[in-house]
Amino acid sequence: MAKDKKQAALGFIFITLLIDITGFGIIIPVVPKLIMQLKHCDISEASRYGGVLLFAYAVMQFFFAPVIGNLSDKYGRRPVLLFSLAGFAIDYTLTGFAPSIYWLFAGRLIAGITGASFTTASAYIADVSTPEKKAQNFGMVGVAFGIGFIIGPAVGGFLGKWGIRIPFFAAAILAGVNWLYGLIVLPESLPKENRRAFSWKKANPVGSLLMFKKHPVIYGLIASITLLYIASHAVQSSWSYYGIEKFHWDEKMIGISLTVVGVCVALVQGGLIRIIIPKLGQEKSVYVGLALYSTGFILFGLATQSWMMFAFTLVYCFGGITMPALQGIISNNVPKNEQGELQGALTGLMSASTLVGPLLMTNVFSYFTAKNAPLYLPGASMFLAALLTLISTVLAYRSLHSHKEIVNPVQQEA
């Protein structure tokens, strides 16, 4: 693909991700209140249901993400991405009309099966990126997250004042528009000569994870990234519940707080990452990012006023240099025609960690905020996340220092 076409393709995938994430961000401020309404429970118990909903999504992602990743290696990225976007539209519509929490589960199951947008987008980025540019281009996912979370939660918090179901319908419309945009505009990124036959062995969840076995040099980094995935759910799964419990946030305040997170993520991933990673190098970027993540978790857990959460968000978001650097190192150690399989495996790994993360973090939060809790400690999940991040740092350090060639490999065709 010519250089100008590659840049255009990256622009297309960025817009697709942006609309997708904005739709997801719209619903976040109102999910806790919707669960409380449907189950007639307090915020502590609602967090448990929230964790189970994420678990249901993760189970489907775990089983189907490798299938989707391998299908994209056979048929191309574009049709798979369109299939994914349609699934999100159905999920949001079901949730908007939900008369019981079972409808929420149905929507999450459908979204988990079809939710391949990030897997396919990452493979798309790998298709059109040179090895030295992959880390920076993978940062586009973070930029889309950042901007999506600037727009989405703010809109969701505003719409939530008019009714807690309104944001779900808005998200459904946005997903439909995104599907139409992809149908008309999004080009295919994987040439036919770089495609490969579909393999059920590689497409099953265990088989997809076993692809890492072919590349033992990255074992330590895979373990490191797994712990980081789990730790991240202290924020991803518990943020709204934590804010409601400790600071009495409403939908609008949750939306504002997540908008601030989005601004910080966009600042780091959209601009600073392209300066920091080349300047520090991928290895040092991993260490610095993990240190900032760990510090951010501790500060969140210690916060006693709302303004502190906003101040500490900047520290936490600067840790965002970690994931693109790790992804770049891992991707550069895998052949070009296995990038879709790799991204499917990484998404499967993320989904596997999501079988643990949301349940772990929301249950820890629920346990330490329940009426009969032996110790009232809303920030317990944040402190646990800090510990997991420190262990992740040790694993990354050992891997990178045991295999010095891992940082600058020569990428080969399979």
Side-chain angles (χ1 to χ4, degrees):
M1 188 181 289
K3 184 176 180 180
D4 57 339
K5 289 186 177 180
K6 286 183 178 181
Q7 290 299 319
L10 287 171
F12 290 140
I13 204 68
F14 174 77
I15 294 297
T16 299
L17 280 172
L18 174 60
I19 297 174
D20 197 8
I21 296 162
T22 299
F24 179 76
I26 284 174
I27 70 172
I28 293 177
V30 295
V31 169
K33 292 293 180 68
L34 180 58
I35 295 174
M36 292 170 70
Q37 181 189 86
L38 293 174
K39 293 300 298 181
H40 307 289
C41 62
D42 62 14
I43 192 65
S44 181
E45 186 178 350
S47 69
R48 290 181 185 271
Y49 285 104
V52 176
L53 282 170
L54 290 171
F55 173 78
Y57 177 84
V59 168
M60 294 298 100
Q61 272 268 296
F62 180 69
F63 285 107
F64 286 93
V67 175
I68 297 299
N70 277 265
L71 285 173
S72 79
D73 278 344
K74 178 177 174 61
Y75 296 107
R77 317 303 185 198
R78 185 175 180 272
V80 172
L81 191 57
L82 292 175
F83 176 69
S84 169
L85 297 175
F88 278 119
I90 295 171
D91 168 32
Y92 297 141
T93 302
L94 283 176
T95 305
F97 285 110
S100 72
I101 199 166
Y102 299 110
W103 281 49
L104 302 189
F105 281 104
R108 288 286 79 192
L109 292 174
I110 293 172
I113 292 171
T114 62
S117 58
F118 301 114
T119 306
T120 313
S122 296
Y124 196 111
I125 291 170
D127 291 339
V128 299
S129 301
T130 58
E132 63 273 12
K133 289 290 185 180
K134 279 181 180 175
Q136 291 96 317
N137 288 340
F138 278 133
M140 286 180 56
V141 179
V143 178
F145 260 100
I147 298 177
F149 272 92
I150 292 171
I151 301 170
V155 172
F158 173 77
L159 294 177
K161 290 294 184 180
W162 297 89
I164 60 175
R165 295 173 186 269
I166 299 299
F168 293 97
F169 295 122
I173 293 171
L174 207 54
V177 170
N178 202 7
W179 176 86
L180 186 61
Y181 170 81
L183 183 67
I184 297 173
V185 177
L186 193 66
E188 179 55 64
S189 66
L190 186 64
K192 290 185 177 181
E193 60 269 21
N194 288 343
R195 299 182 189 183
R196 62 176 178 82
F198 181 85
S199 169
W200 278 110
K201 182 179 179 180
K202 293 180 178 180
N204 71 74
V206 177
S208 71
L209 295 178
L210 287 177
M211 79 86 63
F212 296 131
K213 191 176 181 180
K214 296 186 295 184
H215 309 283
V217 72
I218 62 174
Y219 283 173
L221 297 183
I222 295 302
S224 175
I225 211 170
T226 300
L227 289 179
L228 191 58
Y229 281 149
I230 295 173
S232 68
H233 282 281
V235 171
Q236 293 178 17
S237 302
S238 303
W239 181 271
S240 298
Y241 304 99
Y242 183 59
I244 292 171
E245 173 67 24
K246 194 166 186 179
F247 308 110
H248 308 292
W249 287 351
D250 59 9
E251 294 90 342
K252 181 180 178 181
M253 194 62 181
I254 293 171
I256 292 172
S257 69
L258 289 172
T259 296
V260 171
V261 172
V263 170
C264 292
V265 169
L267 175 66
V268 174
Q269 304 268 358
L272 296 180
I273 196 173
R274 296 176 181 271
I275 300 173
I276 295 173
I277 290 182
K279 188 175 181 63
L280 294 180
Q282 291 184 336
E283 182 179 356
K284 288 184 180 179
S285 295
V286 170
Y287 302 144
V288 172
L290 287 169
L292 290 168
Y293 265 146
S294 185
T295 302
F297 284 128
I298 293 172
L299 291 174
F300 283 151
L302 294 174
T304 57
Q305 298 182 46
S306 291
W307 69 264
M308 294 181 179
M309 295 295 287
F310 290 90
F312 300 155
T313 291
L314 187 60
V315 177
Y316 173 79
C317 287
F318 262 98
I321 64 174
T322 305
M323 202 60 73
L326 278 173
Q327 276 189 297
I329 294 172
I330 293 170
S331 179
N332 285 337
N333 281 272
V334 173
K336 291 181 179 179
N337 66 347
E338 293 182 13
Q339 292 297 320
E341 183 184 353
L342 170 64
Q343 298 306 329
L346 287 173
T347 301
L349 182 67
M350 182 167 60
S351 298
S353 69
T354 308
L355 299 177
V356 178
L359 289 177
L360 175 63
M361 295 305 177
T362 55
N363 274 276
V364 166
F365 170 81
S366 182
Y367 179 79
F368 284 99
T369 56
K371 294 178 181 178
N372 59 346
L375 173 66
Y376 180 74
L377 189 64
S381 60
M382 300 293 183
F383 298 135
L384 175 59
L387 176 61
L388 293 175
T389 306
L390 288 174
I391 298 173
S392 175
T393 306
V394 173
L395 292 172
Y397 178 83
R398 290 182 60 183
S399 179
L400 293 171
H401 276 254
S402 297
H403 306 280
K404 299 298 291 185
E405 75 280 4
I406 196 174
V407 179
N408 296 298
V410 177
Q411 194 175 59
Q412 300 176 348
E413 301 288 349

